[in-house]
């Protein structure tokens, strides 16, 4: 299927008018928050890495980073929310996230290897109709590098 293309960028908003940015701390989580969540299980921690890395079957690409995943985390490789180079339909994404929780208010924290592809599945969750989402931006590169933090394989 051919996608529409443009020859020049035309922003939908006057970028110069965007001045009121406010940091929303609740949208970015740290290792202490994730460690607390291991016990409380309030948030579903969804990891966007490939299944082999998540399960500790493939070596991590960063030296000194252990293999495995955050305890109680679920695996949602980012490619599963994509249809080639686009997101899947909102209905398909809703079905994917419903596999983890039928409750649309269930909070999610997204992670990956370094905080980048976690954003892909975070946006997919929003497209699916979920809004209680945040990112653990330290992700596995931080968690797996700290021997004091627990892991599962």
């Amino acid at each position: 299927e051919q996608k529409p293309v443009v020859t020049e960028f035309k922003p939908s908003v006057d970028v110069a008018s965007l001045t009121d940015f406010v940091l929303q701390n609740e949208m970015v989580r740290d290792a202490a928050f994730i460690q607390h969540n291991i016990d409380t299980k309030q948030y579903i921690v969804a990891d966007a890495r490939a299944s082999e890395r998540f399960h500790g079957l493939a070596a991590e690409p960063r030296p000194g980073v252990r293999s495995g995943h955050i305890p109680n985390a679920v695996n949602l490789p980012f490619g599963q929310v994509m249809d080639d180079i686009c997101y899947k339909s909102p209905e398909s994404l809703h079905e994917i996230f419903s596999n983890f929780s039928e409750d649309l208010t269930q909070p999610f924290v997204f992670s990956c290897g370094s905080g980048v592809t976690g954003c892909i599945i975070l946006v997919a969750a929003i497209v699916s109709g979920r809004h209680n989402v945040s990112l653990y931006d330290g992700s596995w590169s931080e968690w797996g590098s700290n021997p004091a933090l627990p892991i599962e394989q």
Side-chain angles (χ1 to χ4, degrees):
E1 174 186 352
Q2 197 167 7
K3 304 291 182 193
V5 294
V6 296
T7 56
E8 66 180 79
F9 175 69
K10 294 179 186 173
S12 59
V13 176
D14 177 13
V15 180
S17 70
L18 301 176
T19 59
D20 296 326
F21 294 101
V22 178
L23 176 63
Q24 297 177 2
N25 288 317
E26 69 279 2
M27 298 292 292
V28 181
R29 305 300 182 172
D30 62 13
F33 180 92
I34 301 298
Q35 190 165 21
H36 178 72
N37 189 67
I38 291 171
D39 296 326
T40 65
K41 298 179 179 78
Q42 279 187 290
Y43 287 70
I44 294 174
V45 177
D47 188 323
R49 292 178 300 150
S51 179
E52 294 79 15
R53 287 178 63 198
F54 178 83
H55 291 292
L57 302 174
E60 285 297 310
R62 294 170 185 85
V65 178
R66 300 172 294 166
S67 295
H69 61 268
I70 296 166
N72 305 323
V74 298
N75 190 214
L76 179 55
F78 77 93
Q80 291 183 12
V81 301
M82 306 298 293
D83 185 10
D84 192 24
I85 61 170
C86 298
Y87 281 104
K88 290 183 176 179
S89 70
E91 298 79 20
S92 294
L93 294 172
H94 173 76
E95 189 175 318
I96 290 168
F97 286 98
S98 291
N99 289 327
F100 301 114
S101 174
E102 291 282 339
D103 180 1
L104 289 177
T105 65
Q106 171 68 51
F108 276 80
V109 177
F110 297 96
S111 74
C112 55
S114 63
V116 178
T117 55
C119 293
I120 293 173
I121 60 174
L122 183 150
V123 170
I126 293 169
V127 171
S128 81
R130 295 176 185 266
H131 299 286
N132 197 352
V133 297
S134 55
L135 177 72
Y136 170 36
D137 67 335
S139 286
W140 191 251
S141 60
E142 176 181 65
W143 193 274
S145 297
N146 186 341
L149 296 173
I151 64 170
E152 287 182 345
Q153 291 184 323

